[in-house]
């Protein structure tokens, strides 16, 4: 029988210390041999810290042999543990112990190739506008990008369910959830369309011209112009298909007579008739069937792409990060002898941050924990913010409800005044499940909590934006010599510095706007920003590399001359090219000297030569933000090395053949196009030297003396059109994933135009 200890541990409650002390005591008592510890964390840094703490405690006990034995223990991330088990039990599971782990960008490339070559998905992508996919001018995202992002999200969600995600019944579950959420439709398609057609024809017959010309305000002119355009479109479409539901939605809210912009006699009655007929959209069978068809196609297409992706990996002899856990969980489930052999080598199982497990990770870890002699599970559902990665805290909640828990009830991090606020708020959010944390620190001498609330939100957003208020407040704090903090290393009082401050934002776009406001006041900032690929130094390096392997490339020559260190005026460069057939600048002449040897030089070495002869490294010092430019250039060199290290079969499977400079640039551009790959590196390394701006998710597990939490009015309601995992119950945690289903979040049907 497993001795199970479940420890809910709030932020700052000392969970790592508790794990260390518990493990050390088990070793002291002889219940656990140090080499037979199995401990799982969710980051390499946390695993290393835990191993070091256990070893340090044993050394303090003068138990050197036990401290040395800790090196042989299973202390790693969940993915590291999964891979170790796959290697150690490869033959028992019928797999190779030499499978290569592919990088995340290689994984994305293979999945995207599987999507692009899927006939069903190709058919679905031919009419993206009708399915609601749109491009974005602000982000340069196309409708195809939006569709691909949605599909990748479905694939990621299905993969968190392991083999269950490939069950064909998943599409049936999604359809059932849509029909249940939508309710029974009312009326027939042809009847409802004819009724709307009749009212639209009547309105346009009585008022064949837009009312915009006679409107009394600019707002009214715009509204009447858009209404007239929608009515004319509806008149044409209703006579044919009539399936443009966005158009129906527009007709539910026509402008009518208002003070300052009256309508002609009879217009309001006819417009009201149109809106009444269009309101049938709320219970129309058409949108329901379209939603079902779209959702089923997404799920079935995602499953088909997953099957193709698995085939590609098998042919290449590779696995990805998800496979480490999924395949290990499959072995434990299908090979009881393997599970028994593993548990013979394990005295205890420790799991940290258990609330961040997705369903397949929960299945994997719970299979080990429930068989161990001793098990310690630490987590806090209040800190479960990794849902975007598939984490499902409901599983942890079910665990805490079925077994006795021993919550930690002290906080070692925050000011007592902050904890008073947290403890007052906690029961409002979590009810009886909230455990109050008693502050162990003394109160500071400065203000512990501040609230900045903008009274006139509309005016504030357009004129004095929230980021400007925050920037002004931080500037006043940093320039006030009376504001001090306790240094985390020396424990002595010192002046507040920019590196002591963090701003936590809900989205990356919020981060960028706060960074701009701080920089406008001259405050140093560290933020993960996009734009690496378009960085001036990176673009110069790309064009210089192209010219080095093809001196006849006039476009590369012009861009290198005008963009690079020489900054040749465009007119002069074009004139020289037209007059002499070439552009002679020191950089181009030096680059030309690399040819033709450049054609046979390995890309990583050639990149180094190009940067050197073109003087790009020295040029960084003459550009704005030299440190950032040098960091951008260093990443370019690192990418060249990564390209050379990437497995040839993997590159070719992704459509990149050979190792030439042009293939490298194509590979790199494709990689940068993937989500999150265009972020610029931090020139200061891991230790930020300015005010750090991060998203809420990225702040998890980190600490700063001064923290600004922004965007608390940011809506986090589930969005329509999103898929989610459902469980019929949690009574049988040993097999909970086998009962998982998929659901689809539909729009709420209302009669007020918000459906």
């Amino acid at each position: 029988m497993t001795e199970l200890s479940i420890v809910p541990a709030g932020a700052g409650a000392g969970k790592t210390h508790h794990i260390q002390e518990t493990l050390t005591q088990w070793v002291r008592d002889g219940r656990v041999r140090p080499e037979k510890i199995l401990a799982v964390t969710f980051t390499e840094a946390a695993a290393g810290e835990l191993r070091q703490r256990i070893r340090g405690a044993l050394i303090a006990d003068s138990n050197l042999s036990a401290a040395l034995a800790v090196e042989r223990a299973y202390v790693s991330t969940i993915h590291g543990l999964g891979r170790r088990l796959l290697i150690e039990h490869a033959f028992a599971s019928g797999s190779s112990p030499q499978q290569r782990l592919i990088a995340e960008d290689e994984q994305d490339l293979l999945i995207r190739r599987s999507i692009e070559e899927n006939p069903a998905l190709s058919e679905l992508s031919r009419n993206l506008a009708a399915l609601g996919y749109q491009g974005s001018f602000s982000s340069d995202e196309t409708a195809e990008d939006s569709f691909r992002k949605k599909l990748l999200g479905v694939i990621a969600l299905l993969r968190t369910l392991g083999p269950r995600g490939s069950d064909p019944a998943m599409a049936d579950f999604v359809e059932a959830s849509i029909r249940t959420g939508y309710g029974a439709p009312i009326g027939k398609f042809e009847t409802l369309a004819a009724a709307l057609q009749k009212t639209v024809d009547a309105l346009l017959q009585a008022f064949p011209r837009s009312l915009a010309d006679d409107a009394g305000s600019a707002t009214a002119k715009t509204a009447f112009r858009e209404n007239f355009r929608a009515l004319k479109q509806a008149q044409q479409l209703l006579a044919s298909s009539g399936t443009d539901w966005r158009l129906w939605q527009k007709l539910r809210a026509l402008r009518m007579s208002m003070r300052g912009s009256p309508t002609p006699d009879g217009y309001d009655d006819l417009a009201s008739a149109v809106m009444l007929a269009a309101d049938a959209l709320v219970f129309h069978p058409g949108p329901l069937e379209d939603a079902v068809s779209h959702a089923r196609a997404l799920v079935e297409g995602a499953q088909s792409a997953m099957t193709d992706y698995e085939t590609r990996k098998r042919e290449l002899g590779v696995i990805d990060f998800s496979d480490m856990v999924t395949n290990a969980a499959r072995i434990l489930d299908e090979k009881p002898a393997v599970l028994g052999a593993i548990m013979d080598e394990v005295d205890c199982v420790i799991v940290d941050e258990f609330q961040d497990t997705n369903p397949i990770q929960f299945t994997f870890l719970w299979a080990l924990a429930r068989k161990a002699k001793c098990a310690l599970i630490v987590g806090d559902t209040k800190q479960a913010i990794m849902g975007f990665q598939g984490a499902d805290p409901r599983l942890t909640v079910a665990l805490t409800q079925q077994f006795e828990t021993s919550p930690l009830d002290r906080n070692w991090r925050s000011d007592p005044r902050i904890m008073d606020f947290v403890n007052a708020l906690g029961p409002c959010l979590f009810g009886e499940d909230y455990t109050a944390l008693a502050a162990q620190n003394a109160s500071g001498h400065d203000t512990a909590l501040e609230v900045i609330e903008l009274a006139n939100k509309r005016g504030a957003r357009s004129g004095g934006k929230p980021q400007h208020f925050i920037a002004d407040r931080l500037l006043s704090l940093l320039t006030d010599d009376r504001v001090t903090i306790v240094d985390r290393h020396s424990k002595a009082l010192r002046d507040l510095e920019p590196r002591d401050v963090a701003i936590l934002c809900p989205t990356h776009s919020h981060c960028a706007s706060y960074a701009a406001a701080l920089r406008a006041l001259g405050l140093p900032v560290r933020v993960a920003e996009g734009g690496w690929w378009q960085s001036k130094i990176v673009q110069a390096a790309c064009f210089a590399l192209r010219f080095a392997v093809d001196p006849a490339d006039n476009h590369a020559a012009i861009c290198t001359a005008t963009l690079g260190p020489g900054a040749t005026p465009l007119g002069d460069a074009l004139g020289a090219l037209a007059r002499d057939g070439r552009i002679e600048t020191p950089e181009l002449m030096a680059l030309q000297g690399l040819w033709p040897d450049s054609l046979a030089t390995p890309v990583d070495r050639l990149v180094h030569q190009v940067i050197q002869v073109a003087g790009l490294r020295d040029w960084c010092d003459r550009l704005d933000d030299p440190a950032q430019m040098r960091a951008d250039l260093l990443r370019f060199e690192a990418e060249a090395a990564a390209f050379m290290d990437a497995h040839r079969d993997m590159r070719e499977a992704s459509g990149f053949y050979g190792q030439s400079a042009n293939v490298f640039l194509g590979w790199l551009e494709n990689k940068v196009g993937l989500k999150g790959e265009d972020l610029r590196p931090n020139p200061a390394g891991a230790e930020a030297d300015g005010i750090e701006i991060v998203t809420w998710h990225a702040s998890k597990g980190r600490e700063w003396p001064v923290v600004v939490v922004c965007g608390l009015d940011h809506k986090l309601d589930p969005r329509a059109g999103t898929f989610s995992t459902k469980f019929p119950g949690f009574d049988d945690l040993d097999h909970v994933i086998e009962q998982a289903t998929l659901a689809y979040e539909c729009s709420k049907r209302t009669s007020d135009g918000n459906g």
Side-chain angles (χ1 to χ4, degrees):
M1 182 67 180
T2 300
E3 181 184 329
L4 178 64
S5 178
I6 300 175
V7 181
K15 63 183 179 64
T16 305
H17 177 77
H18 179 78
I19 294 173
Q20 169 207 322
E21 288 297 305
T22 301
L23 270 176
T24 305
Q25 191 60 50
W26 283 349
V27 174
R28 288 177 184 142
D29 295 343
R31 299 168 61 194
V32 169
R33 286 162 290 183
E35 69 275 14
K36 292 197 171 187
I37 294 172
L38 190 158
V40 178
T41 67
F42 273 78
T43 67
E44 293 287 356
E49 180 186 0
L50 180 58
R51 186 188 295 272
Q52 183 63 33
R53 285 200 181 198
I54 298 170
R55 187 168 48 230
L58 293 173
I59 291 175
D61 284 350
S62 299
N63 193 344
L64 298 182
S65 61
L68 291 172
V70 171
E71 289 303 313
R72 304 196 301 275
Y74 288 78
V75 182
S76 68
T77 64
I78 185 172
H79 295 95
L81 173 63
R83 189 175 193 191
R84 178 171 174 175
L85 296 184
L86 289 177
I87 293 173
E88 292 181 351
H89 301 277
F91 297 115
S93 62
S95 61
S96 169
Q98 300 299 323
Q99 290 180 311
R100 187 176 73 86
L101 172 65
I102 58 175
E104 187 173 351
D105 59 312
E106 293 177 303
Q107 170 187 330
D108 288 340
L109 285 170
L110 279 183
I111 292 178
R112 286 167 185 262
R113 175 60 65 88
S114 298
I115 291 172
E116 291 164 2
E117 297 180 2
N118 186 294
L121 293 174
S122 297
E123 182 67 27
L124 184 63
S125 64
R126 289 177 183 173
N127 196 17
L128 295 179
L131 296 174
Y133 295 101
Q134 294 179 315
S136 170
F137 289 109
S138 60
S139 64
D140 293 329
E141 184 179 79
T142 65
E144 290 75 13
D145 293 332
S146 179
F147 169 66
R148 192 179 296 110
K149 182 186 296 183
K150 167 79 78 173
L151 190 60
L152 288 170
V154 178
I155 291 173
L157 180 62
L158 290 171
R159 296 197 76 203
T160 66
L161 299 178
R164 177 66 169 169
S166 299
D167 191 331
M170 286 298 171
D172 298 330
F173 294 134
V174 167
E175 177 175 343
S177 74
I178 294 174
R179 294 191 183 279
T180 300
Y182 194 88
I186 299 176
K188 296 183 178 180
F189 180 93
E190 297 79 4
T191 304
L192 298 174
L196 181 58
Q197 173 89 57
K198 182 178 179 180
T199 61
V200 169
D201 288 344
L203 178 56
L204 290 176
Q205 184 176 359
F207 299 93
R209 293 175 55 254
S210 170
L211 303 187
D213 294 340
D214 301 322
S217 67
T219 301
K221 287 180 184 294
T222 299
F224 283 126
R225 190 176 295 113
E226 291 178 352
N227 287 173
F228 186 75
R229 186 182 300 115
L231 289 164
K232 294 295 287 185
Q233 290 176 346
Q235 191 176 45
Q236 297 173 356
L237 290 175
L238 287 169
S240 55
S241 65
T243 58
D244 188 339
W245 310 123
R246 291 179 181 271
L247 188 57
W248 279 66
Q249 183 66 22
K250 290 179 181 179
L251 298 181
R252 296 180 66 198
L254 298 177
R255 173 148 182 143
M256 299 173 66
S257 180
M258 298 179 66
R259 191 173 72 175
S261 293
T263 58
D265 291 342
Y267 182 87
D268 284 3
D269 290 338
L270 292 171
S272 295
V274 171
M275 289 190 290
L276 181 61
D279 273 342
L281 177 66
V282 175
F283 300 99
H284 198 299
L288 170 61
E289 297 308 320
D290 282 359
V292 167
S293 176
H294 178 210
R296 287 192 68 99
L298 281 172
V299 173
E300 291 168 351
Q303 290 177 324
S304 177
M306 286 165 55
T307 300
D308 181 76
Y309 172 58
E310 294 300 326
T311 300
R312 291 172 186 267
K313 285 189 297 180
R314 282 195 301 270
E315 292 174 348
L316 293 167
V318 300
I319 59 173
D320 63 24
F321 275 98
S322 295
D323 293 330
M324 293 180 182
V325 175
T326 300
N327 294 353
R330 183 184 289 115
I331 292 175
L332 299 186
D333 180 54
E334 298 177 354
K335 306 287 185 180
V338 172
L339 177 58
I342 292 171
M343 300 319 299
D344 286 342
E345 298 298 319
V346 171
D347 282 346
C348 69
V349 171
I350 314 294
V351 184
D352 190 15
E353 301 285 7
F354 199 70
Q355 78 280 351
D356 288 335
T357 54
N358 63 36
I360 191 63
Q361 291 171 345
F362 175 91
T363 298
F364 174 46
L365 295 175
W366 181 239
L368 296 170
R370 65 187 165 104
K371 293 292 185 179
K373 300 173 185 175
C374 304
L376 173 62
I377 294 176
V378 182
D380 181 20
T381 53
K382 298 187 295 300
Q383 298 183 65
I385 62 172
M386 310 306 285
F388 70 101
Q389 291 183 346
D392 197 327
R394 292 174 296 176
L395 298 167
T396 303
V397 171
L399 199 64
T400 59
Q401 290 175 345
Q402 293 184 29
F403 296 92
E404 185 177 349
T405 63
S406 303
L408 302 182
D409 57 4
R410 290 185 287 180
N411 176 278
W412 303 87
R413 180 183 300 168
S414 300
D415 187 290
R417 293 166 293 178
I418 294 177
M419 289 314 304
D420 288 343
F421 170 75
V422 171
N423 288 332
L425 187 63
C428 301
L429 297 175
F430 304 101
E432 296 180 355
D433 292 334
Y434 179 76
T435 299
L437 299 178
Q440 301 302 298
N441 293 331
S443 296
H445 58 281
D446 292 316
T447 301
L449 281 166
E450 291 186 18
V451 177
I452 298 179
E453 182 178 7
L454 304 179
N456 185 348
K457 186 174 182 179
R458 182 181 297 274
R461 296 286 184 190
S462 59
K465 295 184 178 181
Q467 53 265 34
H468 297 308
F469 287 99
I470 298 299
D472 288 338
R473 179 61 181 133
L474 290 179
L475 179 63
S476 67
L477 289 175
L478 290 166
T479 54
D480 187 345
D481 56 12
R482 295 171 299 177
V483 177
T484 58
I485 58 104
V486 177
D487 188 275
R488 62 183 305 176
H489 301 296
S490 68
K491 306 303 180 184
L493 280 177
R494 62 170 174 81
D495 292 338
L496 180 69
E497 299 176 9
R499 62 187 173 91
D500 301 320
V501 182
I503 299 179
L504 315 185
C505 302
T507 67
H508 285 292
S509 60
H510 283 88
C511 290
S513 64
Y514 277 92
L518 292 169
R519 285 171 177 149
L521 297 181
L523 293 171
V525 172
R526 280 293 147 232
V527 60
E529 293 179 292
W532 174 78
W533 182 244
Q534 295 300 324
S535 170
K536 193 171 185 178
I537 191 68
V538 173
Q539 285 295 295
C542 288
F543 288 120
L545 182 60
R546 291 189 188 278
F547 183 79
V549 295
D550 185 7
D553 187 340
N554 290 332
H555 178 256
I558 291 172
C559 292
T560 301
T562 58
L563 181 63
T568 303
L570 179 60
D572 293 350
L574 292 173
L577 193 61
R579 182 179 62 254
D580 306 322
R582 65 182 184 277
I583 307 170
E584 294 187 357
T585 68
E587 300 87 31
L588 292 178
M589 296 298 289
L591 289 168
Q592 191 167 358
L594 297 176
W595 190 86
D597 293 343
S598 59
L599 299 176
T601 304
V603 166
D604 51 352
R605 189 185 309 166
L606 180 59
V607 165
H608 177 74
Q609 292 175 352
V610 165
I611 290 173
Q612 186 175 22
V613 303
L616 297 182
R617 214 178 307 279
D618 293 336
W619 186 42
C620 290
D621 295 330
R622 304 196 298 274
L623 295 173
D624 294 336
D625 200 352
Q628 183 64 64
M629 290 299 172
R630 284 194 294 272
D632 289 345
L633 191 59
L634 283 171
R635 178 185 166 183
F636 187 75
E637 292 184 90
E639 294 290 0
F643 172 77
M644 295 300 295
D645 290 340
H647 198 278
R648 185 191 67 183
D649 291 343
M650 183 58 61
R651 289 201 305 266
E652 292 181 357
S654 303
F656 299 98
Y657 299 88
Q659 293 183 315
S660 70
N662 286 326
V663 173
F664 160 64
L665 291 173
W667 173 85
L668 183 56
E669 185 172 10
N670 192 301
K671 176 180 179 180
V672 169
L674 303 178
K675 182 180 179 182
E677 292 293 325
D678 194 34
L679 295 178
R680 306 180 77 178
N682 180 2
E687 185 71 23
D689 57 0
I691 297 174
E692 193 158 8
I693 307 178
V694 297
T695 61
W696 294 348
H697 294 99
S699 69
K700 184 175 173 62
R702 303 187 61 191
E703 300 178 32
W704 297 269
V706 176
V707 175
V708 180
V709 182
C710 301
L712 290 179
D713 57 347
H714 184 72
K715 292 186 179 298
L716 295 173
D717 296 332
R719 293 189 300 176
T722 57
F723 293 85
S724 60
T725 305
K726 299 294 182 183
F727 296 97
F730 298 95
D731 293 338
D732 186 4
L733 290 176
D734 295 356
H735 303 94
V736 67
I737 200 170
E738 298 170 14
Q739 305 300 319
T741 65
L742 214 59
Y744 188 78
E745 183 72 28
C746 296
S747 299
K748 294 181 180 179
R749 301 202 311 181
T750 64
S751 59
D752 61 0
N754 294 322

